[in-house]
């Protein structure tokens, strides 16, 4: 671990960012350039004291998970992320897991979407980042681990994953999930995490096994869908998708036409947030 290089790199990357670059309000006049330490710490979900010690060459060696969070908070490119890992005394993430490093270009777009649900997915259906509106609509997806990080895996193994979709749309969603995984499998190969996911699902789900044999291949994100919110009921939304150049990540943005019922429900969702109300008796 090169403490001096790590501290200097973190400080310079922090000072190179402005609040607007990461979706924060500028607030009162700033005496120092760039982001404040507490802002970087909050973006990386770590304590300000720990981050400060890293910049002062006093902190313990950060874990790979913490470094990945810092790379995301500081909007690092893949080359910058790899450098961060090396000066911190770790090997950079293997190429097989490179898709978990969120594209800075997609993050810049996501940072500017505060009034509509938006999230960034890997090509295996892993939620890498979601904004507050997406959390209110889908729930917080950050707590999943292992194969369950993939929404494709959860769709075929956890019945609760399907409650956000009307029953009449679930067969179509199943086909879309399998077609997306088939596309990822084709690009990642038989020794990849996509292959591991396929083998696990073939054992766990007869429905998946049957659909997999159809060999349908597509990166499918329906341009119009209905999602069911536990308090607001069905919400009709349009889905726009922005892919990275290598197709390994996608930014999904859900909107509704102005003055439509879906638009009014999104406005209510912004107020409701994560609040849940008891059922009336």
């Amino acid at each position: 671990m090169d403490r001096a290089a790590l501290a200097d790199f973190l400080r310079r990357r922090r000072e190179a960012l402005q609040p607007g670059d990461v979706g924060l309000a500028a607030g009162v006049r700033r005496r120092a350039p760039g982001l404040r330490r507490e802002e970087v710490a909050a973006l990386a979900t770590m304590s300000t004291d720990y981050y400060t010690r890293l910049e002062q060459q006093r902190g313990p060696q950060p874990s790979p998970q913490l470094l990945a969070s810092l790379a995301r908070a500081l909007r690092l490119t893949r080359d910058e992320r790899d450098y961060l890992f090396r000066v911190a005394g770790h090997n950079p993430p293997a190429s097989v897991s490179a898709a978990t490093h969120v594209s800075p270009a997609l993050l810049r777009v996501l940072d500017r979407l505060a009034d509509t649900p938006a999230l960034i997915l890997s090509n295996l259906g892993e939620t890498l980042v979601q904004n507050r509106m997406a959390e209110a609509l889908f729930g917080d997806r950050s707590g999943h681990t292992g194969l369950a990080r993939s929404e494709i895996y959860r769709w075929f193994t956890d019945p609760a994953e399907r409650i956000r979709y009307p029953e009449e749309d679930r067969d179509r969603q199943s086909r879309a999930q399998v077609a997306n995984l088939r596309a990822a499998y084709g690009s990642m190969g038989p020794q990849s995490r996509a292959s591991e996911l396929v083998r696990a699902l073939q054992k766990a789900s007869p429905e998946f096994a049957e659909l997999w044999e159809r060999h349908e291949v597509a990166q499918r994100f329906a341009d119009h869908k209905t999602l069911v919110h536990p308090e607001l009921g069905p919400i009709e939304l349009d889905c726009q998708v922005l892919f990275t150049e290598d197709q390994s990540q996608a930014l999904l943005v859900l909107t509704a036409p102005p003055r439509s019922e879906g638009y009014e429900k999104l406005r209510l969702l912004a107020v409701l947030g994560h609040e849940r109300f008891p059922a009336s008796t």
Side-chain angles (χ1 to χ4, degrees), residues 20 22 43 104 152 179 191 200 205 212 214 229 248 265:
V22 296
L43 290 169
I152 304 171
Q191 304 301 320
S205 170
W212 185 254
R214 297 188 186 185
H229 187 269
S248 66
K265 286 187 175 182

Side-chain angles (χ1 to χ4, degrees), residues 13-278:
R13 291 305 307 148
R14 174 175 62 81
E15 292 178 350
L17 288 173
Q18 297 301 315
D21 297 335
V22 296
L24 298 176
V28 297
R29 185 174 181 179
R30 292 167 178 256
R31 292 175 294 178
L35 297 180
R36 299 186 176 103
R37 286 171 175 168
E38 59 267 27
E39 290 170 333
V40 174
L43 290 169
T45 61
M46 59 189 295
S47 74
T48 302
D49 177 67
Y50 184 81
Y51 178 79
T52 299
R53 284 187 286 153
L54 288 177
E55 279 203 9
Q56 294 176 345
Q57 305 181 38
R58 299 187 295 112
Q61 183 183 35
S63 67
Q65 293 78 12
L66 193 55
L67 291 171
S69 294
L70 279 171
R72 183 177 303 171
L74 293 169
R75 305 309 192 246
L76 301 185
T77 66
R78 189 167 297 177
D79 288 339
E80 290 170 334
R81 177 209 62 184
D82 289 353
Y83 175 81
L84 174 67
F85 271 74
R86 290 190 180 100
V87 297
H90 292 285
N91 291 324
S95 58
V96 70
S97 62
T100 59
H101 175 65
V102 184
S103 162
L106 293 188
L107 271 176
R108 285 195 294 271
V109 180
L110 181 69
D111 288 337
R112 287 157 176 76
L113 299 172
D115 61 349
T116 197
L119 61 162
I120 298 176
L121 297 174
S122 77
N123 55 357
L124 296 182
E126 300 155 328
T127 298
L128 305 178
V129 185
Q130 56 185 146
N131 67 7
R132 186 185 66 86
M133 287 285 286
E135 288 186 13
L137 181 60
F138 293 105
D140 184 359
R141 295 181 168 188
S142 63
H144 298 292
T145 60
L147 293 174
R149 291 188 62 220
S150 168
E151 69 173 19
I152 304 171
Y153 183 83
R154 299 194 306 273
W155 180 263
F156 290 101
T157 61
D158 182 0
E161 189 70 14
R162 303 191 177 203
I163 63 175
R164 284 289 195 268
Y165 288 83
E167 188 171 355
E168 62 270 21
D169 288 348
R170 293 173 188 174
D171 287 345
R172 182 177 61 179
Q173 182 68 6
S174 292
R175 291 180 61 189
Q177 296 281 20
V178 176
N180 284 333
L181 182 54
R182 178 68 76 170
Y185 178 87
S187 64
M188 298 175 73
Q191 304 301 320
S192 64
R193 290 189 303 128
S195 180
E196 179 186 3
L197 196 55
V198 170
R199 292 193 299 270
L201 283 170
Q202 285 175 323
K203 294 178 181 178
S205 170
E207 179 191 9
F208 174 87
E210 189 276 325
L211 290 173
W212 185 254
E213 291 304 314
R214 297 188 186 185
H215 285 263
E216 294 180 337
V217 185
Q219 289 182 314
R220 292 181 174 176
F221 299 96
D223 59 357
H224 186 83
K225 61 177 62 183
T226 300
L227 296 169
V228 181
H229 187 269
E231 302 296 337
L232 302 177
I235 308 176
E236 290 192 38
L237 299 169
D238 295 319
C239 180
Q240 284 78 40
V241 184
L242 178 63
F243 288 99
T244 53
E245 186 175 356
D246 62 2
Q247 305 286 296
S248 66
Q249 295 177 16
L251 170 65
L252 275 63
V253 183
L254 298 159
T255 61
R259 296 175 296 282
S260 67
E261 183 179 1
Y263 178 83
E264 294 304 322
K265 286 187 175 182
L266 283 183
R267 294 181 65 185
L268 286 173
L269 185 67
V271 176
L272 181 65
H274 297 290
E275 188 174 358
R276 296 292 179 265
F277 299 100

